[in-house]
């Protein structure tokens, strides 16, 4: 009968015989769900150390965790603080420098007494204290405030025209030539040249008039000679 019970108790479908027994109420509680990922990882590291009767002697020191891949003391301290605030672990021995590590107990199991516990620990320990965090926020410790999607200096309204004014094309004609409108400019011919042209035009007219008169007088003289004969 005993052999049959032992045979039924052994799980042939699992590697190894030891495992971390994490109750579902712990995984489903608000206190656990509000933890950051480092804090959740640290809780599993602490729970991994429990072996039947040592709840209260579990370690979270940097020296112990360094062997398991933890490198940052700052990350460890922040995660440990989260677990204490969520009351998923309880400090039984206060650690201090240079080489005294703190001891902790998980709060989903009863405390296993030890003479090295700090005074008053047994009276202060509350099994299931994490359940009292019913109003724990499901948001991470840093909050869920989103980062601005605009530039770091803020958004600004773009002016409708460039700072130097509207852009002109290279082929747009100017409204007035650079030297002024040609109809408004005085004649570019010098006065002396203009006068000479006027004099020349006047002289040509006189010569033409004189030539016409001379031809007219010549025709009259010839006609008179024809009528009256030469003088």
């Amino acid at each position: 009968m005993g052999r049959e019970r032992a045979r039924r108790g052994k799980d042939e479908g699992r590697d190894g015989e030891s495992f971390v027994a994490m109750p579902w109420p712990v995984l489903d509680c608000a206190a656990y769900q509000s933890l950051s990922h480092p804090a959740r990882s640290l809780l599993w590291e602490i729970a991994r150390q429990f072996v039947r009767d040592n709840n209260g002697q579990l370690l979270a020191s940097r020296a112990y965790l360094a062997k398991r891949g933890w490198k940052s003391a700052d990350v460890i301290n922040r995660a440990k603080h989260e677990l204490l605030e969520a009351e998923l672990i309880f400090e039984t021995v206060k650690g201090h420098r240079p080489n005294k590590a703190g001891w902790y107990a998980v709060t989903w199991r009863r405390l296993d007494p030890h003479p090295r516990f700090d005074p008053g620990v047994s009276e202060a320990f509350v099994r299931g204290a994490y359940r009292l965090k019913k109003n724990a926020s499901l948001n991470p410790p840093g909050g869920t405030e989103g980062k601005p999607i605009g530039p770091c200096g803020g958004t600004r309204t773009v002016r409708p025209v460039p700072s130097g004014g509207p852009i002109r094309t290279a082929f747009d004609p100017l409204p007035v030539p650079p030297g002024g409108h040609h109809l408004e400019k005085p004649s570019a011919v010098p006065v002396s040249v203009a006068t000479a042209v006027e004099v020349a035009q006047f002289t040509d007219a006189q010569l033409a008039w004189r030539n016409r008169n001379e031809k007219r007088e010549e025709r009259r003289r010839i006609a008179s000679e024809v009528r009256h004969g030469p003088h």
Side-chain angles (χ1 to χ4, degrees):
M1 186 73 176
R3 252 183 287 166
E4 180 66 18
R5 187 180 299 110
R7 188 183 66 81
R8 288 201 310 267
K10 186 176 181 181
D11 188 354
E12 299 292 343
R14 183 185 68 235
D15 290 344
E17 296 183 359
S18 300
F19 58 92
V20 175
M22 184 75 74
W24 284 6
V26 174
L27 297 177
D28 296 338
C29 72
Y32 179 83
Q33 293 178 17
S34 68
L35 297 175
S36 66
H37 290 296
R40 294 185 184 190
S41 298
L42 182 59
L43 182 62
W44 284 93
E45 294 285 2
I46 295 174
R48 159 68 179 81
Q49 302 170 52
F50 175 73
V51 285
R52 185 174 299 189
D53 59 355
N54 67 337
N55 190 30
Q57 304 175 52
L58 311 179
L59 299 175
S61 64
R62 183 180 182 184
Y64 169 78
L65 293 172
K67 302 173 184 177
R68 301 185 59 82
W70 293 71
K71 302 183 185 305
S72 173
D74 186 55
V75 171
I76 295 172
N77 289 332
R78 288 202 306 267
K80 189 191 309 180
H81 179 73
E82 283 187 54
L83 295 178
L84 290 170
E85 287 292 318
E87 297 191 72
L88 285 162
I89 63 173
F90 183 85
E91 189 175 51
T92 58
V93 175
K94 185 74 173 178
H96 60 77
R97 294 181 179 180
N99 54 8
K100 183 178 181 180
W103 282 3
Y104 300 90
V106 295
T107 58
W108 62 84
R109 293 195 61 89
R110 63 177 176 82
L111 183 66
D112 297 316
H114 193 281
R116 290 179 56 186
F117 285 169
D118 290 343
V121 164
S122 298
E123 294 78 13
F125 179 82
V126 177
R127 178 180 170 182
Y130 62 90
R131 296 177 179 176
L132 303 177
K133 298 288 185 178
K134 294 185 181 298
N135 296 325
S137 172
L138 297 183
N139 297 327
T144 59
E145 182 178 356
K147 295 182 179 179
I149 59 175
C152 58
T155 56
R156 293 179 295 177
T157 304
V158 180
R159 291 189 292 181
V161 296
S163 57
I167 300 175
R168 293 181 179 273
T169 61
F171 303 101
D172 281 348
L174 295 174
V176 179
H181 202 286
H182 67 281
L183 296 179
E184 299 176 356
K185 295 174 62 178
S187 175
V189 182
V191 176
S192 58
V193 176
T195 304
V197 171
E198 292 177 359
V199 171
Q201 292 176 350
F202 179 72
T203 303
D204 290 341
Q206 284 185 326
L207 290 176
W209 178 78
R210 183 181 298 174
N211 290 336
R212 286 196 299 271
N213 285 342
E214 289 178 352
K215 290 180 180 180
R216 189 181 299 111
E217 291 296 330
E218 182 65 23
R219 285 196 297 271
R220 288 177 181 175
R221 187 181 62 78
I222 294 174
S224 177
E225 288 181 354
V226 171
R227 287 198 303 272
H228 305 288
H231 294 290

